[in-house]
Amino acid sequence: MSTTIFALEEIDGYGIVLGFGVVFTLGMIGTTLGLHRYHGEESFSSETFSTADRKVKTGLIASAVVSSWTWAATLLHSSSVAYLYGISGPFWYASGATVQIVLFCVVAIELKRRAPFAHTFLEVVRARYGQAGHVIFIIFCLCTNFLVTSMLLTGGSAVIHSLCGMHIVAACFLLPLGTIIYTVVGGLKATFLTDYVHTLAVLIIILYFAFITYFKSPILGSPSKVYELLVNASYTYPVEGNAQGSYLTMHSRDGAIFFVINIIGNFGTVFLDNGYYNKAIAASPMACLPGYILGGLAWFAVPFLVATTMGLAAVALQNHPAFPTYPNRLRSHDVSAGLVLPAAAVTLLGKGGAIASMALIFMACTSAMSAQLISVSSIVTYDIYRTYMNKAASGKKLIYVSHVSVVIFGLVMSAASIGLYYIDINMGYLYSMMGIIISSAVIPGALTLMWKKQSKVAVCISPIIGFACAMTAWFTATKFIYGTISIETSGADITMLVGNVVALFSPVLFVPIFSFIAPDPTPYDFTSMKEIKLIDDGPNHNPQITPEEAERGVIHLTRKLRIARILAIFLTSCFVLIWPWPMYGSAYVFSEAFFTGWVILGIVWMLLSFGIVGIYPLIEGYDTVITVCRNLFIDIQQRRQRLARITPDQMSSNVQMDDVAPKNA
């Protein structure tokens, strides 16, 4: 079991989790109802619930991308790899998970071009490959949602338990409770709004940690002090495989291994998570490209700065008497469970650090959880219920199914996360393993939208064979290297690397072979994808996008496709090749001045991210905010005037009744 920090009382933990849950639930329900009442937005149609009417602007798309990609693991595991590998860890984590978002903008544009009225990615798979391909990808997509949600709840509940002693069972059920409620009420639009608020809070807390660590803390308080302690730690606890054993170098053997695992695993959790396709579907055609590019660039700063701050602070503070495990280092199990960040926060800030850590993890867990709930509800509603159980389902019925699936999935995942905790599978293990389970479907899924010659046989068989090969390679490598298969040995970096590489790249071989051996009768022309229709929500709900508007959107996206491809290739090359590998090859150990510049770069990047996802959405939504506030003010004034007119009459009537009563007596 994990180390207990217990900087807070158990009642404090319940107060924070329940308090934040109630505030955000009431706030988002009120906002959703306000938009419906004062801005005329359709809140209760199936199209609005699942697609937000396909008109979400760039700022909210970018904010939603940052929020959905900011898991508990983003904050906790990135700090753990910084603690393990030093200054390279934050970069390996951030760059290894940014490129998927940048590349996904191309897939998102293709999705909106090929199927402008789709509700899920899986509808597109079915339109091209029929029931067989549809069922295969339903399984892989639901596995993705299961793994991501498990990481959210196992990581979040472990931190809450370590900080205040709240029982794991209670934490696993209370964390998603408020999210389930406001997602049921508001649907996808509510998740965009909460994504914005949660992202804003997360960025503010990370900036707060950075300024405390590098400028205000009496224990650390400057980059030069942190640098000095990291140099000392390099002599006391040298990192095997790092240049000179230093925490201050990009040349890290194990860090590079993690980088590969990170890239491969995260391809699956983006390209197979229906939540990212939901955002692409919800985006207006003008917002699709800039939303994903800006969102990816803004997200890079989140793990980069939080890990450069809290992960390295934990290394610098591990010999401080206030450090939770002093005079020992954190155990490997604690590091994998994500306790590096809260340990550093409590050492620096005491009870305030514990509260900030809990708030940070709450925001990360609940905002990403809402995206997973909508993702699963969309699959259950449109790809299972409407496709195989009730093809004539009305919009009202689909809304009901969506609500039920949100509640059931939330409760099932709470129970599953408790089970994972008791069999000792933690967030770090799940994070490294996820690519082995799901990545064999990444390439066939992307080629569904991008290659007309991929055959039905290839798309159905390649993911299954790739999964079998990945599992075989994983367990074989574990047995060969360690002689036994256990959670500890199978979770080692090198065995995870083998399984992840086989999972992602085996379809590179299988897809062309099966497409050549068993081709479709004719090359696919993508026509059937355009035949996916909007849901008829009845006479009281008008369609929010017309065929003419959709056609104009397709033309715009076609023009932007070349730009998207160039940007995606350029940025991916920068993050994966141009930036890190020259520094790795030189085995350069940072000087104090270079380290200070590196820290300042992270803070400046985070401030720019704050502008992208915090300020820009307000500028874009200025008219909506003003309209809602003005109509709310008018409504309040009218209510006051009605009360002012009614009250004197009522009083006069009451007086007259009092005068008449004695005479009658």
Side-chain angles (χ1 to χ4, degrees), residues 287-531:
C288 201
L289 172 59
Y292 277 92
I293 293 294
L294 290 176
L297 292 174
W299 181 86
F300 177 89
V302 175
F304 183 75
L305 183 60
V306 76
T308 299
T309 300
M310 305 310 287
L312 297 184
V315 176
L317 293 169
Q318 57 195 343
N319 287 327
H320 192 279
F323 197 70
T325 58
Y326 177 81
N328 301 313
R329 286 170 58 83
L330 285 167
R331 297 178 302 165
S332 60
H333 185 278
D334 298 328
V335 174
S336 183
L339 301 189
V340 171
L341 185 150
V346 170
T347 306
L348 286 169
L349 295 163
K351 189 173 182 178
I355 294 172
S357 297
M358 285 193 67
L360 188 67
I361 299 309
F362 177 87
M363 300 296 174
C365 287
T366 54
S367 61
M369 180 80 181
S370 66
Q372 296 304 309
L373 291 172
I374 286 291
S375 175
V376 171
S377 74
S378 298
I379 293 172
V380 171
T381 302
Y382 292 102
D383 293 291
I384 297 176
Y385 180 77
R386 184 168 174 259
T387 301
Y388 299 114
M389 300 172 68
N390 186 357
K391 294 184 178 180
S394 64
K396 184 177 180 180
K397 186 67 174 179
L398 295 176
I399 281 283
Y400 173 76
V401 174
S402 296
H403 289 171
V404 172
S405 60
V406 165
V407 174
I408 292 176
F409 179 70
L411 296 176
V412 167
M413 288 312 307
S414 294
S417 299
I418 294 167
L420 291 172
Y421 172 81
Y422 280 111
I423 62 174
D424 213 23
I425 292 180
N426 57 34
M427 177 193 67
Y429 188 90
L430 290 170
Y431 187 86
S432 297
M433 180 190 71
M434 62 187 178
I436 300 173
I437 305 298
I438 61 177
S439 289
S440 60
V442 168
I443 291 175
L447 293 180
T448 298
L449 289 163
M450 300 176 72
W451 189 38
K452 63 183 179 181
K453 292 185 179 181
Q454 179 175 244
S455 69
K456 181 177 180 179
V457 172
V459 86
C460 292
I461 296 179
S462 297
I464 298 173
I465 297 179
F467 169 75
C469 291
M471 294 295 290
T472 302
W474 180 30
F475 288 132
T476 301
T478 303
K479 181 69 174 178
F480 178 78
I481 295 171
Y482 297 102
T484 183
I485 298 175
S486 65
I487 291 176
E488 182 178 359
T489 57
S490 63
D493 284 345
I494 189 65
T495 57
M496 288 288 190
L497 175 65
V498 171
N500 274 275
V501 169
V502 172
L504 182 64
F505 291 108
S506 58
V508 173
L509 175 66
F510 296 138
V511 168
I513 289 176
F514 288 120
S515 295
F516 177 76
I517 294 174
D520 290 338
T522 58
Y524 185 63
D525 60 5
F526 298 99
T527 301
S528 62
M529 294 182 184
K530 288 185 170 63
E531 294 173 356

Side-chain angles (χ1 to χ4, degrees), residues 63 126 131 142 157 161 217 219 237 265-266 276 311 322 337 346 416 494 520 529 554 566 644:
S63 176
R126 184 171 182 270
Q131 182 175 343
L142 289 178
S157 60
H161 170 71
S217 169
I219 303 175
Y237 306 107
N266 283 314
Y276 291 95
V346 170
I494 189 65
D520 290 338
M529 294 182 184
V554 169
I566 293 172

Side-chain angles (χ1 to χ4, degrees), residues 55-67 192-193 195-197 199 279 283-284 286-292 294-295 298 609-621:
K55 293 185 177 180
V56 180
K57 296 179 180 179
T58 299
L60 277 182
I61 292 294
S63 176
V65 167
V66 173
S67 179
F192 278 108
L193 298 174
D195 285 348
Y196 171 75
V197 177
T199 302
K279 290 172 178 56
S284 74
M286 313 300 175
C288 201
L289 172 59
Y292 277 92
L294 290 176
S609 298
F610 186 86
I612 292 171
V613 303
I615 298 173
Y616 185 48
L618 289 179
I619 296 172
E620 276 193 320

